[in-house]
Amino acid sequence: MAVPKVCGTETEYGVVLRGAPDPNPVLASSVLINSYVEQRKVGWDFEDESPGRDARGYAREGTQAPEIETHLVNTVLTNGARYYVDHAHPEYSTPECADALELVLADKAGERVLAKSMQAASRLLEPGQSIVVYKNNSDGKGNSYGCHENYLVDRTVPFSSLVRYLLPWFVTRQVFTGAGKVGSENGAAAVDYQLSQRADFFEEEVGLETTLKRPIVNTRDEPHADPQLYRRLHVIAGDANLCEVATFLKVGTTAIVLGMIEDEFLESGPGARKEWSLAGPVPAMRTVSHDPTCRAQIELADGRRMSAVELQWEFLRLAKKYADETGLELCGGEDVGGQVLTRWEAVLSALEDDPMSLDGQLDWVTKRNLLDAYVERDGLTWSDPKLALLDLQYHDVRPDRSLYERLVRAGKVERLVDEQDVQEAITEPPGSTRAYFRGTCLARWPEAVVAANWDSLILDVGGDPLKRIPMMEPLRGTRAHVEPLFASVDSPAELVARLAS
Amino acid sequence: MPEQQRRQRPAPKERVEETEELPATSERGEKLKGELDDLLDEIDEVLEINAEDFVKSYVQKGGE
């Protein structure tokens, strides 16, 4: 049975320390985050972290909470987000959100946090040095870093069902999730331009890895919630998007597809198709990404061939039936879910007729149109480094340098959220999930919050031992639940006392 | 959103009308091209200098 699709993204940003003789990305990331959170930092609590646990039912030997990294900067923000150094990148995990539109807001606020961090860091660096971050997923030289999505999923759904439908889902959704990339890498066939930053890096169908032999479906099993009830589906097969429409569709459609999988709608709903499996999902990932016409045929397990867009129409056809029969209350709500269906249909129609008409909605199209304009004006060939530079700088997060932001300011990009709301989301948590409780505690009593993680908070209320407040249910601790409680207490000690009673 | 409306594909019937009003369309096309040229000029101003070196020096090791 479907459970509410609480969702979030974790974005690793590319980072460069310029003007330093021996730039160290770990140090640069730490400086960046420290500069942002100059005020008292609240540490992250690793107690419940187990990234080595596999959804297929076993734990990898020797995988523990990432002890080695605990000395790195790791902090929680008043908007409920986690902002930290992951390996050699600054990483921003949005607070838990209840629907795709909230997530667009939280994800965009993350970009603003990074931009503010760069500004703040410039005051700490030596003259002539600067830190620059990019919201992309590849350096074009075989190194990739992720933008992962997370969705709350019913624990009773067999993981094999998720795998069965998610493989064709992740392969085909690239037609709207791709952030666009000049050239190919990691041994992939040469291509001028492709849909996805990430497609060249997937080498397995299913697995636990995230950094080598990347699997299309990742099996990390860390629910960050009641493990008897929930999974957290950890998606690594997506690009970091700047276009709000792309983020909205990526998350909104995936939430609905997950609802359909949980309710067994894709296999036994009215008019369900018999065959969803692809003959070769790993090569199909590249086939789809390497074809900007969106017409390339991929083979299904039964030998038939269809394009990614055609298979997407099949998902959409059933999603509309699902909405009619079951409703979308658990997949982002009727309002936002309905908007997702409408947009999904419009985008598939446009991809069929003329993909380039999606300028300003999808990143891969928006960037491609910009590059095409340069190719035409300057007579460039696709191997010209200027095109690679334009590709990279599209993702530059500095507002004055970002080519994406230039296009926004020129009115060429469609926005789904108000900038004023984005500015608020830099400090305010969404009201719809437990992020509200986490963020509000931090904003009100920063001194008392000793540590925090996704599913608990540790408070020092003075005298007694530290108090751990479990938050195992992602939809408890919302504004509706706890605003009256916060209004009626004056101290963290009172809060703990009230929660205990 | 005006941008949105402009981008929308016209229905087939409208397209026929558009070809009949060729001069107006190309005038509009000129204006759009002019806007795009201005935008590219503006972007030229903020592009990193020495594309080749800049792209070469962008290396990201370790992630996820």
Side-chain angles (χ1 to χ4, degrees), chain A residues 67-131:
Chain A
E67 262 175 61
I68 197 162
E69 289 172 25
T70 48
H71 66 284
L72 297 177
V73 182
N74 205 320
T75 188
V76 194
L77 307 181
T78 57
N79 64 4
R82 180 188 182 196
Y83 189 26
Y84 54 115
V85 181
D86 191 31
H87 301 275
H89 299 275
E91 178 157 341
Y92 187 88
S93 291
T94 65
E96 303 91 328
C97 297
D99 64 53
L101 203 53
E102 271 187 14
L103 187 51
V104 168
L105 194 65
D107 185 71
K108 208 34 98 178
E111 292 171 27
R112 303 291 183 260
V113 167
L114 268 293
K116 282 171 179 285
S117 303
M118 283 187 276
Q119 218 171 14
S122 66
R123 293 194 289 269
L124 293 183
L125 295 168
E126 312 258 330
Q129 293 187 353
S130 61
I131 295 173

Side-chain angles (χ1 to χ4, degrees), chain A residues 12 14-16 18 87-89 134 136 139 141 143 145-146 148 198 210-211 214 353 357 359 361 370 374 377 389 392-393 398 400-401 403 406-407 411 414, chain B residues 1 3-4 6-9 32-33 35-37 39-64:
Chain A
E12 288 181 330
V15 61
V16 200
R18 300 172 74 180
H87 301 275
H89 299 275
Y134 296 85
N136 62 0
D139 66 0
K141 299 165 191 72
N143 302 308
Y145 32 101
H148 301 170
R198 293 274 279 172
T210 55
T211 53
R214 288 183 183 83
D353 296 342
S357 68
D359 196 14
Q361 295 184 60
L370 177 66
Y374 266 90
R377 191 195 71 176
L389 172 63
L392 181 56
Q393 210 173 322
R398 294 171 297 177
D400 55 331
R401 292 286 184 153
L403 303 190
R406 290 274 152 178
L407 296 171
E414 183 182 348
Chain B
M1 211 180 211
E3 263 304 310
Q4 192 52 25
R6 207 191 63 215
R7 269 199 308 270
Q8 266 176 8
R9 272 166 36 88
L32 283 178
K33 190 165 182 324
E35 279 173 22
L36 185 63
D37 286 343
L39 181 63
L40 296 196
D41 290 344
E42 197 191 302
I43 288 176
D44 285 339
E45 297 290 311
V46 297
L47 274 187
E48 304 285 352
I49 43 173
N50 199 339
E52 190 164 4
D53 286 352
F54 190 83
V55 169
K56 212 180 274 176
S57 70
Y58 184 75
V59 179
Q60 301 288 307
K61 291 226 164 106
E64 303 176 286

Side-chain angles (χ1 to χ4, degrees), chain A residues 177-225:
Chain A
T177 62
K181 181 168 80 174
V182 171
S184 63
E185 55 198 318
N186 200 32
V191 62
D192 288 342
Y193 184 83
Q194 58 175 305
L195 273 54
S196 164
Q197 293 253 314
R198 293 274 279 172
D200 291 343
F201 295 95
F202 290 94
E203 298 174 37
E204 303 279 347
E205 292 180 11
V206 186
L208 186 57
E209 300 290 347
T210 55
T211 53
L212 41 99
K213 295 230 171 269
R214 288 183 183 83
I216 298 171
V217 176
N218 184 256
T219 56
R220 182 178 295 177
D221 189 9
E222 264 187 300
H224 295 319

Side-chain angles (χ1 to χ4, degrees), chain A residues 117-412:
Chain A
S117 303
M118 283 187 276
Q119 218 171 14
S122 66
R123 293 194 289 269
L124 293 183
L125 295 168
E126 312 258 330
Q129 293 187 353
S130 61
I131 295 173
V132 185
V133 301
Y134 296 85
K135 194 188 186 194
N136 62 0
N137 302 103
S138 158
D139 66 0
K141 299 165 191 72
N143 302 308
S144 185
Y145 32 101
C147 174
H148 301 170
E149 301 144 58
N150 299 290
Y151 302 89
L152 196 70
V153 171
D154 179 4
R155 170 61 69 175
T156 61
V157 173
F159 201 76
S160 56
S161 298
L162 291 168
V163 171
R164 180 175 172 209
Y165 300 109
L166 290 178
L167 283 169
W169 175 251
F170 291 147
V171 167
T172 58
R173 72 171 193 165
Q174 292 184 96
V175 293
F176 51 79
T177 62
K181 181 168 80 174
V182 171
S184 63
E185 55 198 318
N186 200 32
V191 62
D192 288 342
Y193 184 83
Q194 58 175 305
L195 273 54
S196 164
Q197 293 253 314
R198 293 274 279 172
D200 291 343
F201 295 95
F202 290 94
E203 298 174 37
E204 303 279 347
E205 292 180 11
V206 186
L208 186 57
E209 300 290 347
T210 55
T211 53
L212 41 99
K213 295 230 171 269
R214 288 183 183 83
I216 298 171
V217 176
N218 184 256
T219 56
R220 182 178 295 177
D221 189 9
E222 264 187 300
H224 295 319
D226 185 339
Q228 306 295 317
L229 297 177
Y230 304 119
R231 287 182 189 289
R232 172 183 59 120
L233 181 73
H234 183 239
V235 178
I236 68 169
D239 285 14
N241 293 112
L242 290 158
C243 283
E244 293 171 9
V245 173
T247 301
F248 179 68
L249 266 186
K250 175 174 72 178
V251 175
T253 57
T254 302
I256 294 172
V257 167
L258 286 169
M260 290 197 285
I261 297 172
E262 289 169 313
D263 286 332
E264 298 177 6
F265 202 81
L266 290 173
E267 56 209 75
S268 52
R273 43 178 302 120
K274 287 199 182 69
E275 187 61 81
W276 289 94
S277 298
L278 302 179
V282 173
M285 201 84 185
R286 291 185 184 182
T287 303
V288 172
S289 180
H290 286 198
D291 171 40
T293 70
C294 298
R295 290 176 190 276
Q297 302 282 301
I298 48 178
E299 193 181 334
L300 277 80
D302 64 7
R304 280 180 307 159
R305 301 173 70 81
M306 59 204 301
S307 70
V309 176
E310 284 167 339
L311 197 55
Q312 279 287 317
W313 278 117
E314 288 293 287
F315 277 109
L316 174 60
R317 180 174 64 81
L318 285 159
K320 285 160 94 174
K321 280 193 183 161
Y322 181 69
D324 287 343
E325 296 194 5
T326 312
L328 296 175
E329 206 42 56
L330 299 173
C331 305
E334 295 299 339
D335 181 24
V336 173
Q339 291 175 42
V340 169
L341 289 181
T342 305
R343 177 69 70 159
W344 189 4
E345 180 160 8
V347 163
L348 291 186
S349 295
L351 285 169
E352 218 164 44
D353 296 342
D354 175 15
M356 290 303 123
S357 68
L358 292 164
D359 196 14
Q361 295 184 60
L362 306 183
D363 285 299
W364 76 264
V365 175
T366 307
K367 191 199 285 178
R368 173 71 193 233
N369 276 326
L370 177 66
L371 296 176
D372 279 343
Y374 266 90
V375 166
E376 195 183 326
R377 191 195 71 176
D378 297 352
L380 304 175
T381 62
W382 280 92
S383 58
D384 196 296
K386 189 164 185 182
L387 292 179
L389 172 63
L390 288 159
D391 179 352
L392 181 56
Q393 210 173 322
Y394 176 86
H395 302 271
D396 193 323
V397 179
R398 294 171 297 177
D400 55 331
R401 292 286 184 153
S402 162
L403 303 190
Y404 168 79
E405 291 298 338
R406 290 274 152 178
L407 296 171
V408 172
R409 266 181 267 164
K412 291 191 163 300

Side-chain angles (χ1 to χ4, degrees), chain A residues 45-56:
Chain A
D45 174 13
F46 284 103
E47 177 98 344
D48 296 331
E49 303 251 321
S50 47
R53 190 160 298 145
D54 196 303
R56 292 164 297 187

